[in-house]
Amino acid sequence: MKTIIGTSVEEAVHWLKRGEPVALPTETVYGLAAPLFSEETIRKIYSVKQRPANNPLIVHVLNFEQLSEIAETTPLVQALTEWFWPGPLTLVLKKKACVSNLVTAEQTSVAVRCPQASLFRQAIVLTGEPLVAPSANRFQHVSPTTAMHVLNDLGGRIPYILDGGACTFGLESTILSLLDEAQPTLLRYGPIATEVLEAFLKRPLITPSGVISEQKPHLSPGLYKKHYSPQTPLYLVGNLADYVPPSRYKEIFEAHAAHVFLFPPSRPLREEECVLSPNRDLNEAASNLFDCLQTLDTQGWQSIWTEAAPNEGIGRALNDRLTRAAHVDLRD
Ligand code: TXA
Ligand code: MG
């Protein structure tokens, strides 16, 4: 199949209506979309991504009204959507009967978010129904933040990639489960920071490290330890400036290794070094992370060395993705 990159929402929707999943930009990462009520197209998402059928998908809606047609809502849900939607917050709620088991992997809950990106919103309007969309990458690969990333991973498998430029946030949405409102549970760190949700809800959240052992992994594969991986082995350290590796890693650290700094070091960069945020801004670092990993992956390095972010705000989401991407975690 020939894959075209274009800028026509109409053409993207034309393919959706013909039963072919297409890649669409959101403010987080590119998604591989299908209409919520087209089981045949949704099945193709699983085969294109080579994703196990027990991984549920996120449904994308235009607004609270569309949410209430597919999931049970409460005053708390409404308050959260009024404050955080449209935007990168996914809510896990009890599903209504119209949502197929194919979307939810046989669960009685459904994950829903309301994207900000205008091209994606136009696609929902023109399709006339919500769109399901996992990230537009093959299973366990790095999520795409540009149309070219999608082409590199899914080229030849889908007919159309709608090019909306680079994604603003560059990390997948925050996922919050409200199945038990007495115990709101964070299932995935993302652009909406834990602290912000806790302030809004006026209570501490149960966080992913707390749920990982209790939940069956397939309930939220975003919790799989290894999930966002470049092909090149990645080593995670606390701080790269003046880093001295343990002796058994010395050779790997020095032999054709790429070094990824969060912020610019206080000396000129060497050829093998790059920086996630020239402006010393964690949001900028997060938005560049996947692009940086994808680029380094094509450059033939033998290893990639990255440093962790401060564990606050979006830094938690950044560290979460880095930990999962890491081949070896060398933080003390
Ligand atoms: O930012 C995003 O959320 C992107 C864009 C395209 O919207 N989508 C995305 O989808 O990251 P995906 O499929 O890569 O990740 C979906 C995550 C998985 O970790 C899945 O387990 C979780 O959502 N999920 C979906 N339905 C769920 C449910 N009913 N209960 C718990 N987790 C669920
Ligand atoms: Mg994904």
Side-chain angles (χ1 to χ4, degrees):
M1 182 186 286
K2 188 169 167 358
T3 304
I4 294 170
I5 297 186
T7 55
S8 163
V9 187
E10 287 77 12
E11 187 163 354
V13 171
H14 160 83
W15 285 109
L16 289 176
K17 289 188 170 166
R18 286 182 53 181
E20 297 293 339
V22 294
L24 302 177
T26 85
E27 68 278 18
T28 57
V29 299
Y30 275 70
L32 183 61
L36 174 61
F37 301 119
S38 170
E39 292 215 354
E40 182 206 339
T41 322
I42 295 174
R43 277 209 178 82
K44 288 187 191 167
I45 287 185
Y46 283 95
S47 63
V48 165
K49 276 183 65 88
Q50 298 173 317
R51 174 175 172 122
N54 63 4
N55 287 19
L57 303 174
I58 295 179
V59 182
H60 297 65
V61 297
L62 277 181
N63 48 36
F64 179 77
E65 284 63 44
Q66 215 169 39
L67 166 70
S68 51
E69 288 163 19
I70 61 171
E72 302 292 343
T73 61
T74 63
L76 178 63
V77 172
Q78 183 162 13
L80 275 161
T81 62
E82 276 168 12
W83 191 258
F84 293 103
W85 282 10
L89 177 66
T90 297
L91 299 175
V92 173
L93 306 170
K94 193 168 181 314
K95 82 176 186 83
K96 288 194 171 169
C98 62
V99 180
S100 103
N101 282 332
L102 191 59
V103 173
T104 63
E106 312 284 332
Q107 298 183 78
T108 53
S109 63
V110 62
V112 189
R113 88 175 190 90
C114 173
Q116 226 165 53
S118 77
L119 289 176
F120 200 106
R121 296 181 67 80
Q122 288 170 43
I124 301 176
V125 172
L126 291 179
T127 309
E129 61 189 85
L131 295 174
V132 300
S135 51
N137 53 283
R138 277 186 271 165
F139 186 57
Q140 293 192 331
H141 284 199
V142 181
S143 291
T145 59
T146 66
M148 278 311 289
H149 296 160
V150 181
L151 187 72
N152 291 340
D153 210 21
L154 299 183
R157 293 161 178 251
I158 54 174
Y160 199 73
I161 301 168
L162 182 60
D163 191 349
C167 301
T168 316
F169 292 104
L171 292 183
E172 305 86 345
S173 61
T174 304
I175 304 183
L176 177 69
S177 171
L178 290 174
L179 290 177
D180 177 1
E181 282 198 2
Q183 283 202 321
T185 302
L186 200 67
L187 296 179
R188 180 170 73 186
Y189 290 112
I192 305 288
T194 314
E195 300 89 321
V196 172
L197 286 173
E198 287 180 334
F200 186 90
L201 295 165
K202 298 192 181 65
R203 73 181 81 176
L205 294 176
I206 300 179
T207 53
S209 52
V211 287
I212 205 157
S213 55
E214 296 155 31
Q215 254 198 345
K216 291 199 196 91
H218 81 259
L219 291 185
S220 207
L223 296 179
Y224 282 151
K225 170 107 176 54
K226 198 165 171 63
H227 197 69
Y228 308 90
S229 308
Q231 307 295 307
T232 316
L234 186 142
Y235 296 79
L236 179 59
V237 306
N239 197 331
L240 261 184
D242 312 315
Y243 180 69
V244 181
S247 55
R248 65 192 176 113
Y249 291 108
K250 196 165 179 295
E251 214 173 307
I252 304 174
F253 186 69
E254 283 157 12
H256 205 57
H259 295 175
V260 183
F261 286 85
L262 203 56
F263 302 145
S266 54
R267 56 164 173 75
L269 282 183
R270 292 195 281 264
E271 200 190 341
E272 72 279 14
E273 295 175 335
C274 62
V275 170
L276 287 178
S277 171
N279 298 309
R280 314 188 79 83
D281 169 2
L282 276 187
N283 289 301
E284 182 183 43
S287 74
N288 287 330
L289 175 69
F290 288 156
D291 182 59
C292 172
L293 294 183
Q294 303 241 9
T295 305
L296 293 175
D297 227 5
T298 62
Q299 292 177 342
W301 301 100
Q302 283 175 19
S303 62
I304 301 171
W305 293 71
T306 59
E307 58 182 1
N311 222 6
E312 60 192 33
I314 200 167
R316 278 183 221 269
L318 202 62
N319 288 339
D320 171 70
R321 304 310 190 269
L322 283 171
T323 309
R324 289 169 207 278
H327 179 69
V328 181
D329 189 341
L330 290 171
R331 286 174 297 175
D332 331 298

